[in-house]
Amino acid sequence: MTTSNLIKFDDVPLNKFHLKMTGITFAAHFTDGFSLGVIGIALTVITPQMGLSPFWQGLIGSSALIGLFLGSLVLGWVSDYVGRQRIFMLNFVLIATATFFQFFVQTPEQLFLLRILIGIGLGGDYSVGHTMLAEFLPRKHRGAILGSFSVIWTFGYVAASFLGVYLQSTLADSWRWLLVSAFPLAMFVIFYRIGSPESPRWLLRQGRTEEAHAIVKKYLGPTVVLDDETVAQGTGKFIDLFSRKLIKRTLFNCIFFMCLVIPYFAIYTFLPDILKTMGLSENFSTNMLLNALLVVGAFCGIWWTIKFSRRGFLINSFIFLGISLLALGLLPPSAKTLMIITFAAFTLVMSAVSNLVGVFPAESFPTDVRSSGVGLATAASRLGAAVGTFLLPMSIANLGMSYTLLWLTGTLVVGTIVSIAWAPETKTLTLSEASTPDKPIHSA
């Protein structure tokens, strides 16, 4: 076999194996979105039944996000040491078990603890799922496919809202059936993940060269070679994320991710209550419009990820979102039509730019610490989202809607500044090149 016949790992055409790995990772992300989406609609029923205070509403609403913080941080780090595939399976065993037992809860404390366990599993899946797929995908399709995580996640999130509305009108104890409805989805993911291979990039960095080549040959073909196989065996440690080489990448991914998801989760977890407070809930179609725009925006995000630079898409979206949310906080209650239009535009762009949270972290870190880096960025984002979601009901009750929207706008301003300063351009680079911190920020 001549050198001219060899194909680099990052340039291999998409095949059935890529599509299978994409499919089982997408199915997991649909379940992730669904599991997080059910709690908002379920709380509208749980609150009067259990007599929940704003404190407990916020705590239960943010419980899975607290778990996500823990799972992303710990399981992402663990997978850099024990491998991607083991955590890839373990995540959903935990999710399925905790989801099933939600049906039997009797107290807010029990539900809170189970939701934390679900979040731990989801956090591990965010870290390892993104990493696993990124380490298999060719660069030509990596951005579009990783960005599509947001579409699938949004479908799951919105599907939970629609199912919740249906179950509310047809079943007693509808919230129990709604919360446990994610169980079959989790079992489906477990079944199809059985037998999935380890990441050859990770194996290579552990010095397990023969195993890495065997996986590449089996799933991608005998003419495919790992493009980073000359790199020495990895010695990456979690602390390396804060080294001089990686600190800017680490801070950028943690902060931009956090600044996007704080308003996302805070607003859309309590969307029915927010629309009611803003006087926009008289017509049920407003809620459905915004949920539909989350889906439309996610599709737009795929196209914009392909068409525009990563850096430009992120910065311009932050600016637009900040202006839109500021306008929502300042508009008078009488300007309902303008408020709906502004809220709709905000929702569309927020959903679209959320595609980048599946792209930037996976492309920003070297193989040795990629899962740790993705995990840390996800953990930071979910910690921020948990705090924002916990505080939102109390903020609305004590400060009012306008001031609540204004402090949420502040997070978008911070995201804008950090992105202008540190966002890299990774669109046309191989995974090895993209995760090299000394590449110029503006390189295309």
Side-chain angles (χ1 to χ4, degrees), residues 65-81 87 91 119-128 238 241-242 250 254 369-383:
L65 297 171
I66 296 171
L68 266 157
F69 164 73
L70 298 172
S72 301
L73 194 62
V74 175
L75 294 179
W77 169 72
V78 169
S79 77
D80 277 330
Y81 284 89
I87 307 301
N91 296 333
I120 289 173
L122 295 178
D125 198 63
Y126 273 86
S127 304
V128 180
F238 187 84
L241 294 173
F242 303 96
T250 301
C254 288
V369 291
R370 182 170 293 119
S371 196
S372 294
V374 173
L376 179 61
T378 305
S381 74
R382 269 38 185 183
L383 178 62

Side-chain angles (χ1 to χ4, degrees), residues 325-439:
L325 201 57
L326 178 64
L328 281 174
L330 297 178
L331 284 171
S334 58
K336 291 187 178 179
T337 300
L338 187 55
M339 290 174 72
I340 292 173
I341 293 172
T342 305
F343 211 152
F346 173 86
T347 299
L348 183 75
V349 175
M350 173 60 82
S351 182
V353 73
S354 294
N355 286 30
L356 292 180
V357 305
V359 179
F360 266 122
E363 291 183 337
S364 292
F365 300 102
T367 301
D368 291 343
V369 291
R370 182 170 293 119
S371 196
S372 294
V374 173
L376 179 61
T378 305
S381 74
R382 269 38 185 183
L383 178 62
V387 172
T389 303
F390 170 68
L391 291 176
L392 191 82
M394 292 181 285
S395 178
I396 293 174
N398 293 288
L399 299 177
M401 182 56 67
S402 293
Y403 283 108
T404 298
L405 294 178
L406 290 178
W407 70 256
L408 287 173
T409 300
T411 67
L412 297 170
V413 173
V414 173
T416 304
I417 295 170
V418 168
S419 297
I420 291 172
W422 290 332
E425 183 51 66
T426 59
K427 184 174 181 178
T428 62
L429 305 179
T430 68
L431 194 60
S432 298
E433 292 170 338
S435 60
T436 302
D438 55 2
K439 290 285 180 184

Side-chain angles (χ1 to χ4, degrees), residues 66-379:
I66 296 171
L68 266 157
F69 164 73
L70 298 172
S72 301
L73 194 62
V74 175
L75 294 179
W77 169 72
V78 169
S79 77
D80 277 330
Y81 284 89
V82 305
R84 319 297 193 212
Q85 199 275 338
R86 293 179 184 178
I87 307 301
F88 202 53
M89 288 295 301
L90 175 65
N91 296 333
F92 265 81
V93 173
L94 180 58
I95 291 167
T97 303
T99 296
F100 178 77
F101 282 104
Q102 285 181 115
F103 189 84
F104 304 100
V105 299
Q106 299 296 324
T107 66
E109 293 85 355
Q110 292 172 352
L111 182 57
F112 173 72
L113 290 175
L114 287 173
R115 297 291 297 175
I116 284 183
L117 291 176
I118 291 170
I120 289 173
L122 295 178
D125 198 63
Y126 273 86
S127 304
V128 180
H130 283 170
T131 300
M132 191 91 155
L133 196 54
E135 290 179 350
F136 274 111
L137 289 172
R139 59 176 159 178
K140 181 178 179 181
H141 304 283
R142 192 174 60 235
I145 292 177
L146 293 178
S148 299
F149 274 132
S150 179
V151 178
I152 305 302
W153 187 94
T154 303
F155 265 111
Y157 195 83
V158 172
S161 297
F162 281 97
L163 181 61
V165 171
Y166 172 75
L167 291 179
Q168 272 186 315
S169 61
T170 58
L171 291 175
D173 275 345
S174 58
W175 63 270
R176 295 184 186 275
W177 292 101
L178 179 60
L179 292 179
V180 83
S181 61
F183 177 72
L185 298 172
M187 292 303 297
F188 173 86
V189 173
I190 290 172
F191 178 79
Y192 279 98
R193 283 191 175 183
I194 294 173
S196 55
E198 182 56 84
S199 164
R201 291 184 189 270
W202 181 83
L203 289 170
L204 199 67
R205 299 293 288 183
Q206 303 305 308
R208 295 159 63 177
T209 306
E210 290 186 7
E211 293 176 65
H213 285 299
I215 288 173
V216 171
K217 182 178 180 180
K218 179 178 180 180
Y219 292 100
L220 300 179
T223 61
V224 179
V225 293
L226 287 165
D227 52 326
D228 55 355
E229 61 181 289
T230 58
V231 180
Q233 181 175 337
T235 58
K237 299 178 181 178
F238 187 84
I239 194 65
D240 291 344
L241 294 173
F242 303 96
S243 67
R244 189 172 182 180
K245 277 189 174 182
L246 291 178
I247 184 65
K248 287 184 180 179
R249 290 286 181 96
T250 301
L251 290 176
F252 161 68
N253 280 281
C254 288
I255 296 172
F256 106 83
F257 203 163
M258 182 185 294
C259 290
L260 275 181
V261 301
I262 286 176
Y264 191 113
F265 279 104
I267 290 172
Y268 297 105
T269 297
F270 296 103
L271 184 60
D273 292 333
I274 288 174
L275 292 177
K276 183 178 180 180
T277 303
M278 295 174 71
L280 301 177
S281 62
E282 295 89 347
N283 189 342
F284 178 71
S285 63
T286 302
N287 192 341
M288 292 299 98
L289 168 67
L290 296 179
N291 275 288
L293 285 173
L294 284 174
V295 175
V296 174
F299 277 110
C300 290
I302 295 176
W303 172 241
W304 293 342
T305 300
I306 296 171
K307 183 174 178 60
F308 303 123
S309 70
R310 310 265 202 266
R311 177 179 164 83
F313 181 20
L314 181 66
I315 293 171
N316 289 319
S317 295
F318 262 126
I319 293 171
F320 181 87
L321 291 171
I323 293 172
S324 299
L325 201 57
L326 178 64
L328 281 174
L330 297 178
L331 284 171
S334 58
K336 291 187 178 179
T337 300
L338 187 55
M339 290 174 72
I340 292 173
I341 293 172
T342 305
F343 211 152
F346 173 86
T347 299
L348 183 75
V349 175
M350 173 60 82
S351 182
V353 73
S354 294
N355 286 30
L356 292 180
V357 305
V359 179
F360 266 122
E363 291 183 337
S364 292
F365 300 102
T367 301
D368 291 343
V369 291
R370 182 170 293 119
S371 196
S372 294
V374 173
L376 179 61
T378 305

